[in-house]
Amino acid sequence: MITPILARQEGWNRQPEIVPDGEGELLEVAMGPHHPSTHGVFRMDVTLDGERIIKLKPVFGYLHRNHEQLGETMSYLAIMPYTDRLDYFSSLSNNWGYALAVEKLAGIQVPERAEYLRVILAELTRIQNHASSVGFLIQDMGASGTPLMYAFKEREKILDLFESLTGSRMMCNYMRFGGCRVDTTAEWLNQARKVVAGIPAFADEFEALLTTNEILMARTQGTGILRPDLAVNAGITGPLLRASGVNYDIRKVDRYGIYDRFDFKVPLGEHGDVYDRFMLRLLELRQSVRILEQALKDIPEGPIMDPKSKIRGFRPKPGEAYGRIEAPKGELGFYVISDGTGNPYRYRVRPPSFVNLTILEDMCLGQNVADVVLILGSIDIVLGEVDR
Amino acid sequence: MKTIEEIKAAIEAAVPGAGVEIINNPSPSAQHSLLLQRETALAVAQFLRDDAELAFDYLSNVTGVDWLDKEIVEKVKVKKTVTKTVDGVEQQVEETVDETRKRVEPGYLETVYHLYSMAKKHGPLILRLRTANRTDQVELPSFTPIWRSAEFQEREIFDLYGIVYTGHPDLRRILMWEGFKDHPMRKDYVEPDDFEYEPTAHDAVAKRAQEHQAKVAAAQNGGAA
Amino acid sequence: MAVDENLKIEMGKQGVFVTTLQELYNWGRRSSVWPMNFGLACCAIEMIATTMARYDLARFGAEVFRPSPRQADLMIISGTVTKKMAPQVVRLYNQMGEPRYVIAMGACAISGGPFKQGYNVLKGIDRYIPVDVHIPGCPPRPEALLDAFITLQKKIDAQSLTGENRPRHLNPEGQGEFPVPEQGEHDLEPPSNTLVWPAPMVIR
């Protein structure tokens, strides 16, 4: 429930500072950029009073690869492979987000079969992303290896599907403005059906392994609570927002692509703690399976590219467009300004992980230092997207 | 959702002297935007967030854009009095002459905000703010007190474009290191010369490559001697 | 100092195992290369996939990923090294104990890769530290990383303990510390370590 904003006082959207108890000295620790639990090269400057966190300042930029600046120097099509490397766990979602923005900019329609293929690939991406992110979260808790091995076992099956369709395991570079790059075969679809049929069993096994684990419950329940009003104001999206109980899923709100044809639910959390986020990812994974089953059943025959869309020498009219999708980590938006030439004048990525980190300090204040890696793991960041 | 004209009228009714201007977007996306004045931007933003009907409680995206000085070349027809010799007699004749005039439209830095509403599930509303110029007057009001999501995104624009957000609680560089001097996303930024050129450089790169090679050769000869 | 192969086989038939100190020493080192738990970018995910059940890096004795550079023998530069990160990478390399090895995994670590034209991207980690094995690819497949491991093991096997070409850690004059670049106002200073990486000249 979101309380009306008018009734708020100044500074309500910031966690109050914590006053040290005055016993002993404060300790400043730099966690990262080389740290096994920061999911890449990320740094947090933490001030500790004993075990308690008084202050936490995230430091970014260790993987700042100038994605946006490079985008301004190259053609619209040439940016597509770079979007793979934003959130390198879910390259196909990134492809879709960028394709959607450019299609809005140039007014291109996508054929139905391509829409179905996009949904199938994006939901497969969501499944492997959520499975691995839960695996990494448990790994950060200290369960070294085992849950991650389970997750990666399933991930490899999905990556095999990606590889046989697009030619690459991780950097798929599959979508184009107005459709997809290559058509799929009936064998591929059958193989996909087989993989999807196996996912519920994997989810059951994974849940049996984890959800009622006593250590996991003790460490994650009540840790890193995020209030829904604060989450909305800080622009949090994705599983992190829904775990706090705010019903906002762009697949339902914008109904981009053909998501209005599928019957699926948006799971919501109640407490907004780390455990809720962990459970929410597992529930979303099951909803993705539902979407996949429907999409794989209904996929029609037909072309996969809009015959009118131009791949080479693509020059949209001057103007701008903002397109967004529900990536596995939250709202992934692309903002493109065209000046009529072959390169975008401005190319901006709205990365979900980066904006979700706004709230990291607020969630960590007053918690123990050992919980920081848990809270960070529950946000599910990928540094390629945070720093771009 | 209200149309952009209705939103503009609502803003002007609520914030007197807001001076909002609609910027048309000619592309098929038809995402038109509102240009705000620097002085009243905060009040407008607060209204957009707190108005019960609009309820733009979610600021999704903050973008910096650099618009360089534009040199506009126009052909203007000018009437001039010319002294001419017609049939051996000097006469004052009025003539229309084509004249090319150059004028420089000053550049500016711009911030674009994309707003959505989570409560009402509508959007986007696009707001724009422009600085006075690109060099010394680059201050814009910060929206961080109103929407927390602007906090890191405005820091990023400060880092890469050099727009100074007044009222931002913690305006530091975010992506580049402390002590870095440039604003690398500006269109006139010159990169450090550390590129390892391919032997087959061509077009615009070929000249840069030759200059670079000359520098390397000079450094190596100097080191040997 | 090598033992005659035929003699070795003959003695082996008699139940006697003949080897040299060098072979034994290198066998021990190459069979327990402990990599550093150090992921930079996209390639790190493929590195993790290599350690998982399907590709199983443990077959080569290298499954023990150590988070501390003090305990690691091998640094896998798995991804783009930015100019903000480069000093930390060199510092981590300096903190590793000898003998130490470096694998540059992927196009970014080798030369900057697709991000080469970026203002914040280091154009190859070998500008500051010596690299033993380069793996091309964006990202390289897990099989490619396994191949790099085998190449590294062959390299370790071929190292002689004495003489001119002995490895750095057996040479008292060998360079141990590599200078850490400073972050300047516009760029890293110096832009490269000329002792490790002389700037290439293109002859036209």
Side-chain angles (χ1 to χ4, degrees):
Chain A
M1 183 61 209
I2 306 170
T3 43
I5 297 163
L6 281 172
R8 301 284 169 61
Q9 291 168 350
E10 184 83 2
W12 64 275
N13 57 4
R14 201 169 282 278
Q15 202 75 13
E17 277 184 21
I18 290 189
V19 186
D21 57 11
E23 289 174 28
E25 282 178 22
L26 296 184
L27 182 67
E28 284 186 22
V29 184
M31 291 177 77
H34 165 61
H35 188 279
S37 298
T38 52
H39 298 235
V41 278
F42 178 61
R43 184 171 129 206
M44 292 169 282
D45 285 345
V46 187
T47 309
L48 295 173
D49 177 27
E51 282 275 305
R52 258 190 344 150
I53 287 169
I54 303 288
K55 214 160 87 181
L56 184 146
K57 293 285 170 219
V59 182
F60 305 86
Y62 291 103
L63 195 56
H64 177 46
R65 314 192 263 199
N66 331 125
H67 186 93
E68 290 177 7
Q69 189 235 24
L70 288 177
E72 287 170 16
T73 62
M74 54 183 64
S75 71
Y76 284 88
L77 180 63
I79 296 171
M80 189 61 89
Y82 282 84
T83 62
D84 292 336
R85 289 153 181 82
L86 275 173
D87 170 1
Y88 33 78
F89 261 104
S90 34
S91 62
L92 284 156
S93 303
N94 304 342
N95 283 179
W96 194 359
Y98 176 57
L100 194 80
V102 177
E103 280 155 11
K104 271 192 180 171
L105 179 71
I108 304 172
Q109 296 298 317
V110 183
E112 197 163 298
R113 186 176 170 84
E115 291 277 25
Y116 270 92
L117 268 175
R118 286 180 176 190
V119 168
I120 290 168
L121 291 167
E123 294 305 320
L124 281 172
T125 304
R126 195 182 311 277
I127 288 172
Q128 60 99 355
N129 178 77
H130 280 356
S132 346
S133 92
V134 168
F136 280 117
L137 170 67
I138 312 291
Q139 167 114 337
D140 291 348
M141 261 182 53
S144 183
T146 313
L148 194 61
M149 290 243 185
Y150 275 68
F152 265 67
K153 185 191 76 184
E154 207 59 27
R155 183 172 182 263
E156 288 291 341
K157 289 180 193 163
I158 295 174
L159 289 195
D160 279 354
L161 282 179
F162 290 169
E163 193 182 4
S164 64
L165 181 62
T166 69
S168 178
R169 281 159 53 85
M170 279 169 68
M171 307 303 175
C172 296
N173 180 20
Y174 180 64
M175 288 169 202
R176 292 287 180 265
F177 321 129
C180 299
R181 183 157 53 89
V182 285
D183 201 355
T184 158
T185 56
E187 294 97 89
W188 188 88
L189 286 173
N190 279 332
Q191 190 60 34
R193 285 184 193 109
K194 223 185 273 175
V195 170
V196 170
I199 289 169
F202 156 75
D204 289 343
E205 184 187 47
F206 211 45
E207 281 188 24
L209 181 72
L210 297 173
T211 47
T212 53
N213 183 302
E214 206 166 323
I215 301 170
L216 189 144
M217 277 154 71
R219 284 212 53 191
T220 56
Q221 289 182 350
T223 306
I225 291 175
L226 176 60
R227 299 196 322 264
D229 52 346
L230 184 57
V232 171
N233 193 259
I236 307 300
T237 43
L240 194 60
L241 175 76
R242 292 191 286 275
S244 293
V246 183
N247 187 350
Y248 196 76
D249 187 322
I250 297 168
R251 288 177 293 175
K252 288 277 190 194
V253 175
D254 277 13
R255 299 177 167 272
Y256 64 93
I258 47 163
Y259 272 113
D260 48 349
R261 296 188 195 177
F262 301 113
D263 173 31
F264 68 101
K265 290 201 177 82
V266 179
L268 293 179
E270 208 175 304
H271 309 95
D273 56 4
V274 175
Y275 189 79
D276 270 15
R277 288 168 212 148
F278 151 76
M279 272 312 289
L280 194 104
R281 293 214 165 86
L282 289 177
L283 292 173
E284 275 195 6
L285 192 150
R286 286 180 188 274
Q287 293 301 322
S288 291
V289 175
R290 268 181 74 185
I291 299 175
L292 277 170
E293 280 167 353
Q294 296 167 46
L296 285 166
K297 200 175 85 201
D298 299 341
I299 180 166
E301 291 294 321
I304 53 154
M305 272 300 283
D306 179 7
K308 275 181 285 179
S309 77
K310 214 172 153 193
I311 294 292
R312 289 182 196 283
F314 179 72
R315 281 191 173 75
K317 290 193 189 86
E320 57 177 54
Y322 180 71
R324 57 173 195 164
I325 62 157
E326 180 77 28
K329 293 174 172 65
E331 174 183 332
L332 175 68
F334 285 86
Y335 177 50
V336 191
I337 301 181
S338 162
D339 59 352
T341 58
N343 306 353
Y345 186 79
R346 177 75 171 99
Y347 162 75
R348 152 89 183 160
V349 186
R350 189 264 185 211
S353 316
F354 179 61
V355 182
N356 287 359
L357 278 173
T358 311
I359 217 72
L360 178 67
E361 182 179 17
D362 302 64
M363 287 199 288
C364 290
L365 286 183
Q367 304 275 348
N368 283 346
V369 63
D371 292 334
V372 172
V373 287
L374 274 188
I375 294 167
L376 184 72
S378 74
I379 299 178
D380 185 15
I381 59 165
V382 159
L383 264 296
E385 189 176 72
V386 173
D387 294 341
R388 279 151 291 137
Chain B
M1 193 178 114
K2 287 179 170 178
T3 60
I4 194 133
E5 286 82 12
E6 285 166 354
I7 294 174
K8 179 176 181 252
I11 291 172
E12 274 165 355
V15 185
V20 181
E21 199 182 312
I22 295 179
I23 307 273
N24 258 318
N25 177 1
S27 92
S29 70
Q31 294 172 338
H32 309 296
S33 46
L34 293 176
L35 177 65
L36 306 185
Q37 299 297 318
R38 288 187 290 278
E39 294 76 27
T40 52
L42 268 183
V44 172
Q46 182 123 22
F47 165 72
L48 288 173
R49 187 192 70 182
D50 292 347
D51 184 64
E53 200 179 334
L54 295 172
F56 285 107
D57 50 6
Y58 165 43
L59 169 63
S60 163
N61 183 25
V62 186
T63 313
V65 191
D66 180 12
W67 299 95
L68 287 173
D69 296 348
K70 241 193 269 173
E71 193 175 271
I72 296 174
V73 184
E74 296 173 310
K75 279 200 173 167
V76 193
K77 295 211 170 183
V78 192
K79 280 195 177 167
K80 267 190 179 172
T81 332
V82 191
T83 320
K84 263 190 177 177
T85 323
V86 184
D87 305 330
V89 187
E90 275 200 4
Q91 279 182 331
Q92 297 272 322
V93 187
E94 277 219 338
E95 254 187 9
T96 42
V97 187
D98 280 346
E99 205 178 78
T100 45
R101 281 192 191 170
K102 283 182 187 169
R103 75 189 157 89
V104 176
E105 212 168 73
Y108 49 85
L109 301 167
E110 189 179 41
T111 317
V112 187
Y113 299 87
H114 287 79
L115 296 177
Y116 285 87
S117 168
M118 281 200 187
K120 302 270 177 185
K121 300 209 173 11
H122 61 215
L125 175 69
I126 304 164
L127 305 179
R128 307 183 103 89
L129 273 173
R130 288 173 183 171
T131 60
N133 60 26
R134 294 179 68 251
T135 46
D136 51 345
Q137 293 168 11
V138 288
E139 284 91 14
L140 286 181
S142 166
F143 280 179
T144 309
I146 294 170
W147 292 287
R148 257 305 278 293
S149 48
E151 186 176 348
F152 286 170
Q153 301 191 60
E154 283 181 348
R155 263 179 79 185
E156 184 190 322
I157 296 168
F158 166 72
D159 186 351
L160 302 181
Y161 283 92
I163 301 179
V164 178
Y165 291 95
T166 48
H168 192 286
D170 183 22
L171 199 64
R172 289 176 291 139
R173 283 195 179 267
I174 187 166
L175 292 176
M176 304 304 287
W177 55 84
E178 297 283 326
F180 191 72
K181 284 277 187 283
D182 308 328
H183 300 294
M185 280 292 282
R186 287 203 185 183
K187 294 273 179 188
D188 51 2
Y189 169 70
V190 182
E191 280 174 44
D193 183 30
D194 63 345
F195 202 78
E196 201 181 305
Y197 293 96
E198 289 154 20
T200 52
H202 53 87
D203 296 348
V205 188
K207 206 174 151 222
R208 273 178 69 193
Q210 272 163 12
E211 283 167 14
H212 173 82
Q213 287 300 335
K215 224 192 270 177
V216 172
Q220 282 183 350
N221 290 341
Chain C
M1 279 275 288
V3 185
D4 182 13
E5 279 299 312
N6 290 329
L7 178 70
K8 231 174 169 181
I9 294 162
E10 200 54 43
M11 295 291 271
K13 282 176 188 164
Q14 310 292 326
V16 181
F17 179 59
V18 180
T19 185
T20 60
L21 189 60
Q22 177 179 313
E23 272 178 16
L24 188 69
Y25 179 80
N26 284 342
W27 168 81
R29 286 198 304 130
R30 78 152 155 80
S31 308
S32 63
V33 177
W34 287 6
M36 185 152 70
N37 190 348
F38 177 58
L40 280 170
C42 331
C43 294
I45 308 301
E46 287 296 61
M47 185 175 81
I48 294 167
T50 316
T51 62
M52 291 295 149
R54 191 179 197 179
Y55 298 99
D56 199 9
L57 195 60
R59 291 177 290 166
F60 303 93
E63 81 278 24
V64 195
F65 272 75
R66 305 312 299 176
S68 164
R70 306 278 183 205
Q71 302 169 343
D73 309 310
L74 167 67
M75 187 181 203
I76 303 176
I77 313 277
S78 54
T80 320
V81 185
T82 60
K83 285 179 185 167
K84 192 165 179 177
M85 191 63 198
Q88 276 82 338
V89 174
V90 179
R91 196 165 291 136
L92 282 168
Y93 181 72
N94 280 339
Q95 286 173 357
M96 286 166 68
E98 291 279 8
R100 53 189 167 175
Y101 302 95
V102 176
I103 291 180
M105 181 180 184
C108 291
I110 295 173
S111 70
F115 298 98
K116 188 172 178 156
Q117 275 144 26
Y119 49 86
N120 192 28
V121 176
L122 185 70
K123 281 91 189 161
I125 187 59
D126 38 10
R127 291 192 174 206
Y128 292 112
I129 55 176
V131 176
D132 294 281
V133 185
H134 296 84
I135 334 170
C138 188
R141 293 179 56 86
E143 289 93 331
L145 184 58
L146 292 181
D147 185 60
F149 253 96
I150 297 166
T151 311
L152 182 68
Q153 288 186 331
K154 281 184 188 152
K155 184 171 177 172
I156 294 173
D157 258 344
Q159 282 181 339
S160 68
L161 302 188
T162 51
E164 271 301 293
N165 296 328
R166 64 191 190 273
R168 217 168 36 226
H169 66 281
L170 295 173
N171 186 353
E173 271 116 55
Q175 192 181 3
E177 284 268 316
F178 288 79
V180 178
E182 297 274 325
Q183 287 170 337
E185 291 182 357
H186 305 287
D187 194 9
L188 287 179
E189 284 159 13
S192 66
N193 181 354
T194 41
L195 292 175
V196 180
W197 187 81
M201 277 297 290
V202 178
I203 295 146
R204 279 167 217 277

